Amino acid sequence: MELNKYLNPQQIKAVKNTENPLLVIAGAGSGKTRVLTYRIAYLVKEKKVDPFDILAITFTNKAANEMKRRVIDLVGKVGELMWISTFHSFCARILRHEINHLSMSRNFVIYDSNDQLSLITKCLKELNLDSKRFTPKIIQAVISDAKNRLMDYESFSKKAKEYFEKIVAQVYPLYQEKLFKANALDFDDLLMFTVNLFKLFPNVREKYQNKFKYILVDEFQDTNIAQNEIILILSEQHKNICVVGDDDQSIYSWRGAEIKNIINFDKKFNEVGVIKLEQNYRSTQNILDAANFLISNNESRKQKKLWTDNPKGELITKYLASDERDEVRFLVQKVRKIVKDKKKKYKDFAI
């Protein structure tokens, strides 16, 4: 593979460092998807690794599909069958084969948000609780958060101290019982049940630990406790795990993401390699200088400084609006002026 033609020196290091735990701190616009896909291709084409011994996980279906498309471009049709998916799709695939160990049928159904809300509403009715006072959507969010922290209803009940938590502690076991009777899992069960499966059944755990000799995880800063546990369990055997992320881009704590997962990753294994991707291909240097200055105030971060070969670019301008109406007025006038003076189209702008 002509890596020098497509990758910079740091990206090449990240691609070739395959035989030990690796943390890749990838700044914004630094080509992390390219690194992940070339790393997969390098394993298959240069290291002669069986494509089905590789597991690549990312967060959204869109990102997984894009990664798969790029891998197919690099390794051919075999890429269509490789284990490249989201966390939830991966767990669903495992459970389709193994959930019988947890006394459920393999043809389980997966409840979406509306199904979950409907079921919680039924639970509230059975428990004589007012669904206007105790909103099903908020109860669903609390149960979801508990599951992402690997708390079943018993452990949640023991920790429930606030009044609302105690209400949720009544709903949670009934909700779970009704799911079980319907042979159904909700979205968060996919993660929690997979962790339970691996922890309770050593033969199942070892089967998948042996199978996945190389593991790659994208957007690692967005992993929650359950997702992190799945990755740590699967990588115990071979330890050829590469996680890519950026602690400066962690914005999903409100949905369970644990920044500690990426910050403490190098403490979970011996001899963890750390590679920083700091060359940015997306922005001008003025924008990066401002970003570097602001982000340097974050506590407990992995130090890095983004730079680019792009031009210095225009200076950043600042407008102090008196209120939100003034802000909108300023933006509209600015956009209209550029459209008129520079013959631009409205689709050329981002706000």
Side-chain angles (χ1 to χ4, degrees):
M1 295 180 67
E2 296 179 89
L3 297 180
N4 292 327
K5 194 172 175 182
Y6 303 104
L7 306 173
N8 67 41
Q10 284 298 98
Q11 290 174 330
I12 291 171
K13 276 174 70 177
V15 165
K16 288 187 169 183
N17 191 339
T18 59
E19 301 307 310
N20 60 317
L22 179 66
L23 170 61
V24 179
I25 302 292
S30 62
K32 66 180 176 59
T33 306
R34 172 169 290 208
V35 165
L36 282 166
T37 51
Y38 269 85
R39 185 180 168 91
I40 293 169
Y42 181 78
L43 286 168
V44 173
K45 296 175 85 170
E46 299 294 329
K47 303 275 291 184
K48 306 303 178 189
V49 173
D50 186 329
F52 305 110
D53 290 348
I54 299 169
L55 171 65
I57 291 187
T58 187
F59 271 78
T60 64
N61 287 321
K62 183 180 178 184
N65 291 336
E66 173 62 14
M67 190 186 290
K68 184 166 273 198
R69 184 189 66 76
R70 292 202 202 182
V71 168
I72 292 167
D73 286 345
L74 291 169
V75 303
K77 277 202 163 186
V78 70
E80 293 176 14
L81 305 172
M82 290 175 67
W83 289 71
I84 302 171
S85 70
T86 64
F87 270 101
H88 291 89
S89 296
F90 168 73
C91 290
R93 191 169 170 183
I94 296 289
L95 292 171
R96 289 289 178 205
H97 290 280
E98 312 290 353
I99 202 168
N100 56 297
H101 291 89
L102 298 172
S103 303
M104 286 185 70
S105 167
R106 289 173 178 168
N107 64 347
F108 62 85
V109 293
I110 300 170
Y111 276 17
D112 64 17
S113 255
N114 291 333
D115 297 325
Q116 292 168 46
L117 289 173
S118 175
L119 190 57
I120 288 169
T121 304
K122 285 179 187 172
C123 293
L124 289 169
K125 196 171 181 181
E126 262 186 53
L127 294 165
N128 292 316
L129 294 168
D130 185 359
S131 61
K132 288 182 181 174
R133 188 178 173 197
F134 307 111
T135 318
K137 201 160 191 176
I138 296 175
I139 291 174
Q140 178 196 25
V142 175
I143 292 174
S144 172
D145 183 66
K147 289 181 176 183
N148 286 327
R149 295 179 186 279
L150 299 176
M151 296 172 68
D152 59 20
Y153 56 79
E154 288 176 344
S155 54
F156 180 85
S157 183
K158 285 175 187 171
K159 290 195 174 183
K161 291 175 184 172
E162 304 294 328
Y163 179 67
F164 187 75
E165 287 177 338
K166 289 179 178 177
I167 295 296
V168 177
Q170 293 179 55
V171 177
Y172 190 175
L174 183 60
Y175 169 73
Q176 208 60 37
E177 181 189 326
K178 288 184 179 296
L179 280 173
F180 185 78
K181 285 181 178 174
N183 196 41
L185 302 180
D186 66 22
F187 215 47
D188 304 299
D189 283 331
L190 295 172
L191 302 176
M192 191 164 78
F193 276 44
T194 302
V195 173
N196 291 343
L197 186 71
F198 288 157
K199 286 189 171 180
L200 293 171
F201 300 96
N203 58 324
V204 176
R205 179 175 68 243
E206 288 164 16
K207 172 181 171 182
Y208 290 99
Q209 284 176 340
N210 288 326
K211 173 171 180 49
F212 298 118
K213 296 179 176 64
Y214 294 87
I215 299 170
L216 303 90
V217 186
D218 192 13
E219 305 289 10
F220 194 66
Q221 77 278 354
D222 292 333
T223 52
N224 58 38
I225 288 172
Q227 290 162 335
N228 188 51
E229 193 66 19
I230 289 166
I231 291 305
L232 292 178
I233 289 171
L234 285 173
S235 57
E236 275 175 10
Q237 183 71 28
H238 297 284
K239 296 183 173 56
N240 295 327
I241 175 168
C242 170
V243 301
V244 180
D246 182 5
D247 48 337
D248 291 333
Q249 294 187 67
S250 180
I251 59 171
Y252 290 114
S253 59
W254 55 274
R255 69 176 190 198
E258 274 287 345
I259 188 67
K260 289 178 183 175
N261 292 346
I262 190 166
I263 289 172
N264 295 332
F265 178 79
D266 50 0
K267 299 180 181 76
K268 298 291 183 183
F269 299 90
N270 294 324
E271 298 179 15
V272 174
V274 179
I275 294 173
K276 296 178 183 179
L277 304 182
E278 297 170 298
Q279 183 175 358
N280 175 285
Y281 293 92
R282 188 184 297 161
S283 304
T284 61
Q285 191 61 51
N286 277 325
I287 288 173
L288 295 179
D289 288 343
N292 286 327
F293 179 79
L294 285 173
I295 214 74
S296 66
N297 294 291
N298 279 4
E299 296 175 5
S300 305
R301 64 188 288 264
K302 304 279 187 185
Q303 291 298 322
K304 68 176 179 305
K305 190 166 185 178
L306 297 179
W307 61 276
T308 185
D309 279 335
N310 291 338
K312 193 85 174 166
E314 292 182 33
L315 290 173
I316 295 170
T317 57
K318 179 177 74 173
Y319 178 74
L320 189 61
S322 57
D323 58 23
E324 69 276 16
R325 288 175 178 273
D326 184 29
E327 183 180 14
V328 171
R329 180 195 58 75
F330 169 78
L331 285 169
V332 169
Q333 286 179 354
K334 190 87 174 168
V335 169
R336 281 180 172 165
K337 185 169 176 19
I338 296 171
V339 167
K340 184 181 176 184
D341 294 350
K342 298 189 177 180
K343 309 296 182 201
K344 296 290 183 183
K345 296 179 180 176
Y346 288 109
K347 69 178 182 180
D348 296 330
F349 296 82
I351 299 175

